[in-house]
Structure formats: C-alpha cells, structure tokens
C-alpha cells in the first residue's frame, strides 16, 4: 500500500514537469518517504523463488512416466501437448494460450497496483514460446502457479 501511495504522490507532483526538474522532484519525494525504487524488487521475490521449483518440476515431470496416457479433464495425455484443435494440419495447443492470457491478466492486475511497463508483458509471451510444445503437465503446473499468483495480487 505504501508503494501505491508514493507512486500516486509522485504522479501528482511531477505531471507538469519534464526532464531534470521531474527527476529532482521525484527524488525529493522518495527521500522524504525513505523510499527507493529498488524496494519494488522485493515484490518480485515470490516469482524469483518459484523459478528453481519450476525448473525442478520441469525435470521431474518430463522424466517420469506417471503422466503417460493420463488424462485430465479435456487433456487426453498429460505427457504430450494438449493439441485440442487442428487447423490445416497444424495442432493448436489451447493450454499454453490460456496460460499466457492468465499471465497477462495477472500482470495487468499487478501493474494497476504498483507498476506500469510494457516490458512486463514480454515474459508471458516468452513462456508461451518456451512451453507451447511442452507436455501438458508442465503447462498445467505453470498455469496453476499463475492462477495462485493472480489470487495473491487481487487480495493485496
């Protein structure tokens, strides 16, 4: 909540200024509130802590045969991409697309609270390309993580 208040304060004070004057006013507000923009990084701590678990889950889920021919709702085999639709001999995987949409919505919700930057929206697109042809169990795992993250950001 403190971040949101400081962000609002900065936006109101600097909206009519540019360049060095804007920079100086922003720094003055930060100093008065004992704030530094690097403090926003601690909000990403939850994401950074998930990365080793995601890597471990990736290797654990892709090396096991437990998901071979296992179905989950509309996914016929969790050990393969979902391939729910075929369009002119091209399989369309819906789960990675849903994962990307959920991620973008999470980021949008998070940006409303604190930040705003288009760079944040690149990460879900990278994950879309990385995970598009991966087994459904991996994409389902990452989608579930994104859903939990969305719930956390909505609550805060």
């Amino acid at each position: 909540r403190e971040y949101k208040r400081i962000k609002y304060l900065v936006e109101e004070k600097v909206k009519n200024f540019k360049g060095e004057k804007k920079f100086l006013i922003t720094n003055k507000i930060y100093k008065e509130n004992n704030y530094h923009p690097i403090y926003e990084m601690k909000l990403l701590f939850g994401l950074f802590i998930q990365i080793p678990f995601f890597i471990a889950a990736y290797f654990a889920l892709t090396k096991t045969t437990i998901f071979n021919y296992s179905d989950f709702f509309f996914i016929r085999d969790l050990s393969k991409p979902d391939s729910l639709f075929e369009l002119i001999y091209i399989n369309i995987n819906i789960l990675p697309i849903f994962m990307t949409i959920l991620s973008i919505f999470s980021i949008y919700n998070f940006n409303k609270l604190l930040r705003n930057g288009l760079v944040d929206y690149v990460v879900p697109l990278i994950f879309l390309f990385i995970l598009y042809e991966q087994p459904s169990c991996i994409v389902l795992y990452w989608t579930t993580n994104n859903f939990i993250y969305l719930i956390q950001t909505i609550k805060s």
Side-chain angles (χ1 to χ4, degrees):
R1 305 262 180 239
E2 183 68 18
Y3 301 115
K4 191 174 180 181
R5 185 186 66 79
I6 292 171
K7 181 182 177 191
Y8 176 76
L9 190 62
V10 168
E11 286 175 355
E12 286 300 309
K13 297 280 185 175
V14 301
K15 64 182 171 187
N16 296 323
F17 297 102
K18 290 184 180 180
E20 187 176 349
K21 184 75 172 171
K22 182 177 181 178
F23 175 76
L24 292 173
I25 293 171
T26 302
N27 278 345
K28 182 180 178 190
I29 293 169
Y30 286 167
K31 192 174 270 191
E32 288 171 354
N33 291 284
N34 296 324
Y35 174 78
H36 193 279
I38 197 77
Y39 296 159
E40 291 181 25
M41 291 300 290
K42 71 180 179 181
L43 295 172
L44 297 174
F45 182 71
L47 178 65
F48 291 137
I49 217 145
Q50 287 180 27
I51 291 174
F53 289 102
F54 178 70
I55 292 170
Y58 176 81
F59 286 109
L61 294 173
T62 56
K63 300 298 180 198
T64 186
T65 59
I66 195 168
F67 295 109
N68 289 357
Y69 308 107
S70 297
D71 62 342
F72 182 76
F73 291 109
F74 56 86
I75 302 167
R76 286 181 295 251
D77 186 353
L78 288 171
S79 67
K80 296 178 181 164
D82 62 79
S83 303
L84 287 177
F85 296 106
E86 188 174 312
L87 184 67
I88 313 171
Y89 303 109
I90 299 173
N91 287 328
I92 307 295
N93 300 327
I94 297 300
L95 198 54
I97 295 168
F98 175 71
M99 175 202 66
T100 304
I101 292 168
L102 185 66
S103 297
I104 289 172
F105 184 71
S106 295
I107 290 168
Y108 173 76
N109 188 45
F110 181 72
N111 283 346
K112 275 192 335 190
L113 294 174
L114 178 65
R115 305 168 61 209
N116 41 0
L118 293 177
V119 175
D120 295 342
Y121 295 99
V122 172
V123 174
L125 296 176
I126 291 171
F127 271 96
L128 173 66
F129 288 109
I130 290 173
L131 297 176
Y132 190 78
E133 289 293 327
Q134 296 301 318
S136 296
C137 59
I138 302 287
V139 182
L140 195 58
Y141 169 80
W142 193 247
T143 304
T144 305
N145 276 340
N146 286 332
F147 183 70
I148 292 169
Y149 179 70
L150 175 63
I151 290 172
Q152 288 174 339
T153 58
I154 288 173
K155 285 184 176 182
S156 62

